[in-house]
Amino acid sequence: MASYSTNEFRGGLKVLLDGDPCIILENEFVKPGKGQAFNRVKLRNLMTNRVWERTFKSGETLESADVIDQDMEYLYSDGEFWHFMATDGSFEQFPADAKAVGDTVKWLKEQDVYTVTLYNGSPLTVTPPNFVELEVVDTDPGMKGDTAQGGSKPATLSTGAVVNVPLFITIGEVLKVDTRSGEYVNRVKSS
Amino acid sequence: MSEQPAWRPHASLAVLKSRAQQLAFVRGFFAERGVLEVETPALGRFGVTDPNLDPVAVTVSAPGVQVGWLQTSPEYHMKRLLAAGAGAIYQVSRVFRDGERGRRHNPEFSMLEWYRPGFSDDELMGEVADLVCNWLQCERPDTLSYRDAMIAWAHVDPFEASDRTLRRRCEEWLEPEQLAGLGRDGCLDLLMSFAVEPNLGQERPVFITSYPASQASLAKVSVESGVPVAHRFELYLKGIELCNGYWELTNPEEQRQRFQADNRIRRASGKPEMAIDDAFLAALDHGLPECAGVALGLDRLLMLKLGLTDIAEVLTFPLEEA
């Protein structure tokens, strides 16, 4: 397995620390003119999502972590695992457990493409695209002529996600939603 | 569409103008005091032995020379000039230190180095204060011993604490297994960098003086309150290390021994040993006049002048864009 020395540390590098895969966020080089050099490094533990601050003597090394991001299509859930298929033409399938899917579960729509982060070949996290388009399956009846006014109501989407929508939205409409904020963006014309 | 490499200068035009003014100020300062500006090689046949400095090696082809070293400071060459009777001299030069890149480091940087025959470290500190405070328009520096600074902020006595106590103290930053390979001076450097330095010179500049003898480098050592201390000083402002000065060691025998000790440390830590600069030692054998010398980082001085916190902001092109 490759390893990286402190002078190769940079934001985005994936390394193993205390046995967990981590991504380097910041690397600060500190050295008295005539003294020993150190690196103060901020890393996010990809297993726990916690941010760690660690100090290294310059020249110390960390093993690289076998972590890659891959685009995958969501296929189905069998109740225990959510199954994804690589879109690189390999048709390789990967089962992701509830921990890996996490909150993304509420944005999972079959045949849509997600970023699956693989650690040693197994899904570690599943990240939705910034915007998804989902159908409204339940909401209070729409109010005619209320397109310009404010006010909102909850709407349940096909994946089970609940978002606040304007009052004029009706069941069966397809909405564009920002997955980062969980907010309604606009209606999408059904094709 | 492929991304264009960054080609624009990092420093703004206003910064470039301030840099030019700073250089003019420095030259005026020394001209007024009758200190001679000199130029010595940036590329030499020898690099420093200092265990914590990694010079950049370059291949050269010239009669009798196959390998050259970009100088980490013009010290050896300037001391050869002093031994030859140059008198008070200064130099503005580019120096090179491998592996040093961060918010306050670039592997190539501008150094102002000067030597004052007949000056002690105290007298040279006065001149450093004149230069820095006139340029920055700041208050005169305080003076604090290395020992008092360590006691105040790292809560250890660097001269009295046992190795075990020092290591304990360092466990705030390093795991025990990382500390295993760190010597006493390494522990002190860690505490200096993380516990002490950020507090130094926040109101006005402060000189740190009387370093442990083990960190004397090329400074004279004498006994103060029962412990051997180096006649070495550094100036800090806003937590930034600005210069490093010595009442210079003139004894060639002791210099030889320090070079050998450096190489022993290098060998023990797996670093290449450095050939010892025999021309420099020959100059000491001939006789280096009693003098004090100091090296000051001009990029950092400019950062302080302009209130900038990243060295890249005062450089036209930091290494990764150069």
Side-chain angles (χ1 to χ4, degrees):
Chain A
M1 174 108 334
S3 64
Y4 297 107
S5 165
T6 49
N7 60 17
E8 298 170 283
F9 287 6
R10 60 182 190 281
L13 200 68
K14 282 132 183 171
V15 292
L16 276 181
L17 183 59
D18 296 350
D20 280 358
C22 297
I23 184 164
I24 290 178
L25 303 174
E26 279 174 40
N27 172 26
E28 174 63 6
F29 177 81
V30 181
K31 181 185 185 301
K34 292 282 177 179
Q36 164 82 42
F38 298 96
N39 292 65
R40 190 86 174 136
V41 182
K42 260 191 197 159
L43 315 96
R44 175 176 291 120
N45 182 324
L46 294 170
M47 302 292 270
T48 62
N49 230 17
R50 272 207 200 102
V51 173
W52 279 347
E53 246 192 37
R54 288 295 183 89
T55 305
F56 299 91
K57 289 175 287 180
S58 291
E60 281 192 285
T61 57
L62 287 177
E63 262 183 50
S64 72
D66 179 15
V67 174
I68 51 163
D69 290 337
Q70 210 175 332
D71 283 348
M72 295 195 200
E73 184 182 316
Y74 170 55
L75 300 176
Y76 65 97
S77 169
D78 61 17
E80 189 183 358
F81 289 101
W82 286 257
H83 296 266
F84 291 83
M85 183 176 71
T87 57
D88 59 3
S90 68
F91 301 109
E92 202 179 344
Q93 292 191 21
F94 296 87
D97 62 15
K99 188 164 173 271
V101 171
D103 283 345
T104 303
V105 70
K106 66 181 180 190
W107 308 118
L108 285 183
K109 190 174 92 180
E110 286 163 18
Q111 285 156 30
D112 272 7
V113 174
Y114 299 80
T115 302
V116 178
T117 302
L118 296 173
Y119 172 46
N120 290 336
S122 301
L124 182 68
T125 54
V126 177
T127 312
N130 291 343
F131 299 100
V132 292
E133 293 178 359
L134 296 168
E135 187 185 335
V136 177
V137 296
D138 188 32
T139 190
D140 288 341
M143 284 181 237
K144 284 238 160 57
D146 212 359
T147 53
Q149 292 299 315
S152 66
K153 60 180 182 179
T156 305
L157 307 179
S158 55
T159 57
V162 178
V163 296
N164 279 319
V165 299
L167 298 175
F168 58 80
I169 296 295
T170 58
I171 292 172
E173 285 186 300
V174 175
L175 309 183
K176 182 176 175 183
V177 181
D178 188 328
T179 58
R180 294 160 296 183
S181 59
E183 280 169 10
Y184 162 87
V185 179
N186 55 255
R187 276 191 291 191
V188 181
K189 283 221 173 73
S190 45
S191 48
Chain B
M1 207 170 66
S2 68
E3 216 178 298
Q4 287 288 319
W7 66 269
R8 287 183 183 282
H10 230 86
S12 67
L13 189 57
V15 170
L16 297 187
K17 285 178 179 165
S18 296
R19 186 181 273 277
Q21 281 164 4
Q22 179 172 277
L23 203 49
F25 171 84
V26 165
R27 293 204 155 108
F29 180 89
F30 288 113
E32 207 169 90
R33 290 169 185 237
V35 181
L36 178 70
E37 178 165 16
V38 296
E39 289 186 60
T40 60
L43 176 61
R45 292 174 301 142
F46 296 95
V48 281
T49 56
D50 191 309
N52 290 311
L53 291 181
D54 294 321
V56 177
V58 292
T59 50
V60 286
S61 28
V65 184
Q66 284 83 39
V67 65
W69 298 92
L70 295 177
Q71 299 296 288
T72 52
S73 105
E75 182 159 10
Y76 298 172
H77 290 130
M78 289 182 79
K79 284 183 174 169
R80 283 163 68 181
L81 294 182
L82 291 165
I89 49 174
Y90 81 96
Q91 174 163 209
V92 174
S93 61
R94 295 302 184 79
V95 294
F96 302 84
R97 296 178 179 188
D98 200 15
E100 302 192 4
R101 182 74 185 96
R103 280 191 305 122
R104 293 173 186 174
H105 295 84
N106 191 58
E108 173 181 352
F109 62 101
S110 288
M111 183 179 267
L112 165 64
E113 185 149 329
W114 79 97
Y115 291 88
R116 284 295 215 158
F119 274 36
S120 66
D121 39 353
D122 284 335
E123 290 166 297
L124 187 57
M125 282 160 63
E127 190 161 65
V128 169
D130 290 344
L131 178 107
V132 169
C133 300
N134 282 345
W135 172 241
L136 297 181
Q137 293 293 304
C138 63
E139 285 180 71
R140 302 285 293 181
D142 293 329
T143 299
L144 190 63
S145 73
Y146 182 91
R147 186 179 204 167
D148 287 344
M150 274 284 183
I151 291 171
W153 287 293
H155 313 301
V156 290
D157 183 329
F159 294 97
E160 299 293 334
S162 67
D163 287 5
R164 205 168 144 222
T165 306
L166 274 183
R167 271 169 206 281
R168 269 283 153 71
R169 188 67 190 84
C170 290
E171 281 175 16
E172 189 176 327
W173 294 272
L174 291 177
E175 303 293 319
E177 60 270 23
Q178 292 177 294
L179 279 165
L182 198 65
R184 190 176 172 90
D185 282 313
C187 289
L188 291 173
D189 287 338
L190 178 90
L191 296 175
M192 191 67 187
S193 289
F194 293 108
V196 180
E197 240 184 49
N199 300 295
L200 294 179
Q202 288 302 345
E203 306 242 322
R204 69 180 70 89
V206 60
F207 280 115
I208 301 298
T209 61
S210 307
Y211 279 69
S214 54
Q215 298 181 16
S217 201
L218 279 76
K220 278 187 202 295
V221 170
S222 66
V223 174
E224 269 177 30
S225 346
V227 288
V229 296
H231 285 275
R232 174 182 160 194
F233 63 87
E234 297 215 359
L235 183 66
Y236 284 89
L237 182 50
K238 307 252 179 264
I240 294 179
E241 180 192 12
L242 201 52
C243 75
N244 182 31
Y246 307 133
W247 190 12
E248 301 290 348
L249 178 66
T250 52
N251 181 329
E253 223 17 75
E254 189 170 346
Q255 185 64 69
R256 248 181 214 105
Q257 284 166 15
R258 287 195 200 175
F259 279 159
Q260 285 159 4
D262 281 351
N263 267 333
R264 277 197 295 277
I265 296 172
R266 284 185 154 266
R267 201 161 50 233
S269 61
K271 285 190 175 187
E273 286 181 55
M274 298 296 295
I276 288 173
D277 185 341
D278 48 10
F280 169 57
L281 284 175
L284 290 195
D285 283 333
H286 174 78
L288 180 67
E290 289 294 322
C291 64
V294 62
L296 184 149
L298 288 175
D299 307 291
R300 291 183 182 178
L301 184 64
L302 189 58
M303 285 166 67
L304 288 166
K305 175 77 176 171
L306 301 174
L308 301 172
T309 55
D310 191 332
I311 197 168
E313 293 173 279
V314 299
L315 299 174
T316 48
F317 306 106
L319 182 62
E320 61 281 4
E321 293 173 22

